[in-house]
Amino acid sequence: QEIELSSNNKNFFKENGLIMKYSKNESKDHNHNSQSKEIVFASFNDLESDFVIKGDISKLYGSAFYNRSKLNSLRSAPKPLQIICSNCFSKCTNLKSVDFEGIKNLILDMASFSDCQSLESVKIGECDELTVGKRCFSNCASLNSFQLSRIGKLTLHEKAFYKCSSLSELVITSDSEIEIHDKCFSEMESLRFI
C-alpha cells in the first residue's frame, strides 16, 4: 500500500519511496540540491535490498525502516549523516551488513539495529566521534564481525551488544578515546577479544 501526501503538505515530500523533510534551518525550496534531508519513513514496497544512505541525508527518524524484510545491506555515502534514531532498523530480519565510512560525528541511538537476526557484519570508519546507544545491536545473534577504524572518540552505552552471541571479537584499529558503559557486553558467550 502506497502512502500519499496531501498537495497542501508543506512539511514533507516523497523521494524514491521515502517520506522526507528538509533539516531545520533549511529553505523549503525543494529544487535546491545542496540541502540536507531527513528520512521520516521508508515505504515497504519501494525499498531496495541494497540501500545507500545518500550524501544529502543527515537524520533517519525512529522506526523509519522498522521491520523492512527486503533490506539486505546498508551503507552510507560520506557526510552529512549525523543520527540514526531509536529502533530505526530494528527487526530488519534479512539485513546482513552495515558499512558507514567518512561520517564526522555519528550517533546510533537506542536499539537502532536491535533484533536484526541476520546481521553478520558492521564496519564503521573515519569518524571523529561515534556513539553507540543503549541496546543498539541487542539480540543480533548472527553478528560475528564488528570493525571500527580511525575513530576519534568512541562511546558504547549500556547493553549496546546485549545477547550478540556470535560476536567473538570487536576490532578497533585506531587510537580512540573509549568510554564503555555498564553491561555493554553482557550475555555474549563468544566474546574473546577487544
Side-chain angles (χ1 to χ4, degrees), residues 3-118:
I3 295 175
E4 294 295 326
L5 296 177
S6 166
S7 59
N8 297 330
N9 186 325
K10 296 186 185 340
N11 296 309
F12 302 99
F13 61 97
K14 283 179 72 172
E15 186 176 293
N16 299 323
L18 302 170
I19 306 295
M20 304 179 82
K21 66 180 258 178
Y22 285 102
S23 296
K24 291 178 184 173
N25 301 324
E26 299 281 0
S27 164
K28 292 189 175 154
D29 174 11
H30 292 205
N31 297 320
H32 196 287
N33 293 330
S34 65
Q35 298 173 0
S36 69
K37 302 171 187 173
E38 300 174 352
I39 297 175
V40 178
F41 182 80
S43 168
F44 280 91
N45 299 328
D46 297 330
L47 190 63
E48 295 180 25
S49 62
D50 300 313
F51 188 75
V52 178
I53 301 168
K54 296 180 181 176
D56 60 351
I57 304 296
S58 62
K59 178 178 181 178
L60 305 179
Y61 275 70
S63 301
F65 293 84
Y66 181 85
N67 197 26
R68 300 305 189 272
S69 59
K70 287 185 179 179
L71 191 61
N72 290 326
S73 70
L74 174 66
R75 60 187 169 89
S76 70
K79 301 178 185 172
L81 184 62
Q82 297 170 344
I83 183 165
I84 296 177
C85 294
S86 298
N87 298 302
C88 186
F89 292 97
S90 288
K91 296 192 177 190
C92 288
T93 54
N94 292 311
L95 180 63
K96 290 186 168 88
S97 66
V98 173
D99 190 351
F100 296 142
E101 286 288 328
I103 299 170
K104 187 170 176 61
N105 297 309
L106 180 60
I107 297 170
L108 303 177
D109 211 351
M110 183 169 75
S112 53
F113 289 93
S114 66
D115 298 302
C116 291
Q117 293 298 317
S118 298

Side-chain angles (χ1 to χ4, degrees), residues 130 148 151-156 170 172 174-181 185 194:
L130 173 63
L148 302 174
I151 307 293
K153 181 180 180 188
L154 173 63
T155 304
L156 302 173
L170 178 70
I172 304 170
S174 63
D175 294 328
S176 300
E177 175 187 332
I178 301 173
E179 179 181 336
I180 299 175
H181 291 238
F185 304 109
I194 298 178

